[in-house]
């Protein structure tokens, strides 16, 4: 014997009243068998009827309730706007404070940059002075090297002249000694010749 929709609906209602979930297998067990396809189709219809029964009836909102809701909504909106305004004011104050901090940092950085530029200018000027002093020192050193080389050359020439003069003096001394020797010989001869013979 085939199972009817009414049997399936009755079983589902009973399971639902007892707090049990009217699943396909629970309904099939409650009716004592039957095709899952038949039970599934009937359960789809049962669920649709149940949803329609449970849906609350829609009635128009009374004017007094609507007026009170409008007043409450305005008050709620005013409160929300005030809170948002307060929060926005706080954010603006924090933003202003942060901006002041950034401006102070910027001014401090600009002051430091100006100080560093001044120090850099002084360092550049000092560098130029040192470079000029170095060039002057190199020029003076080159002049001194040339003077030393010239003096060394003159000293070498003078030393050669001195050596030549010393050689000539030695030669003259020898000549003078020979001349003295010859003069002494001549004096002896003259002396010998000048004595009367006995």
């Amino acid at each position: 014997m085939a199972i009817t929709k009414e049997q399936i609906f009755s079983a589902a209602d009973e399971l639902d009243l007892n707090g049990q979930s009217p699943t396909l297998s629970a309904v099939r067990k409650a009716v004592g068998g039957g095709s899952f396809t038949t039970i599934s189709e009937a359960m789809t219809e049962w669920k649709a009827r149940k949803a329609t029964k449970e849906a609350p009836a829609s009635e128009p909102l009374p004017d007094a309730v609507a007026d009170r809701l409008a007043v409450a909504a305005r008050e709620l909106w005013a409160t929300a706007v005030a809170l948002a305004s307060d929060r926005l004011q706080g954010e603006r104050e924090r933003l202003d404070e942060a901006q002041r901090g950034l401006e102070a940092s910027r001014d401090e950085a600009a002051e430091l940059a100006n100080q560093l530029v001044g120090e850099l200018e002084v360092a550049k000027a000092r560098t130029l002075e040192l470079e000029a002093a170095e060039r002057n020192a190199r020029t003076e050193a080159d002049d001194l090297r040339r003077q030393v080389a010239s003096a060394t050359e003159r000293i070498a020439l003078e030393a050669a002249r001195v050596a030549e003069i010393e050689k000539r003096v030695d030669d003259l001394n020898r000549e003078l000694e020979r001349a003295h020797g010859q003069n002494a010989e001549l004096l002896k001869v003259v002396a010998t010749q000048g004595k009367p013979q006995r």
Side-chain angles (χ1 to χ4, degrees):
M1 178 175 167
I3 296 172
T4 63
K5 281 185 183 180
E6 285 72 21
Q7 289 175 317
I8 294 171
F9 292 163
S10 176
D13 287 339
E14 189 175 343
L15 287 169
D16 191 41
L17 284 173
N18 292 331
Q20 297 176 353
S21 178
T23 61
L24 295 180
S25 61
V27 170
R28 186 170 184 270
K29 185 177 179 184
V31 294
S35 165
F36 275 107
T37 304
T38 304
I39 295 171
S40 176
E41 289 173 0
M43 286 301 296
T44 301
E45 188 176 337
W46 178 84
K47 287 178 183 177
R49 285 183 182 180
K50 183 175 186 246
T52 302
K53 286 179 187 177
E54 291 177 352
S58 177
E59 293 185 16
L61 195 64
D63 291 340
V65 173
D67 291 343
R68 286 200 174 200
L69 283 176
V71 169
R74 283 194 296 273
E75 290 175 357
L76 181 63
W77 180 248
T79 302
V81 168
L83 287 173
S85 178
D86 290 344
R87 183 174 295 175
L88 180 61
Q89 183 62 33
E91 290 296 326
R92 282 180 181 161
E93 289 173 1
R94 282 193 290 278
L95 181 61
D96 288 343
E97 185 177 348
Q99 187 172 357
R100 284 192 297 274
L102 287 174
E103 288 174 356
S105 296
R106 184 193 60 200
D107 293 343
E108 185 177 338
E111 183 180 345
L112 178 61
N114 289 334
Q115 180 182 348
L116 290 176
V117 166
E119 290 176 3
L120 180 61
E121 292 299 326
V122 170
K124 282 182 179 178
R126 181 63 180 151
T127 300
L128 291 175
E129 289 176 7
L130 290 174
E131 288 174 352
E134 182 185 6
R135 283 194 299 272
N136 291 337
R138 284 184 179 177
T139 302
E140 290 178 7
D142 291 341
D143 289 344
L144 287 173
R145 276 194 288 272
R146 282 193 293 273
Q147 290 174 12
V148 167
S150 176
T152 302
E153 186 178 348
R154 285 198 306 273
I155 289 170
L157 290 173
E158 291 298 324
R161 285 176 63 191
V162 166
E164 186 179 343
I165 290 170
E166 286 177 348
K167 182 181 175 188
R168 286 179 65 192
V169 166
D170 288 342
D171 291 343
L172 288 173
N173 282 335
R174 282 192 294 273
E175 287 292 326
L176 186 58
E177 285 177 7
R178 269 198 310 271
H180 279 306
Q182 289 174 356
N183 283 341
E185 290 294 328
L186 286 173
L187 287 174
K188 285 181 186 178
V189 170
V190 169
T192 305
Q193 292 176 356
K195 283 185 182 181
Q197 299 205 354
R198 296 183 180 174

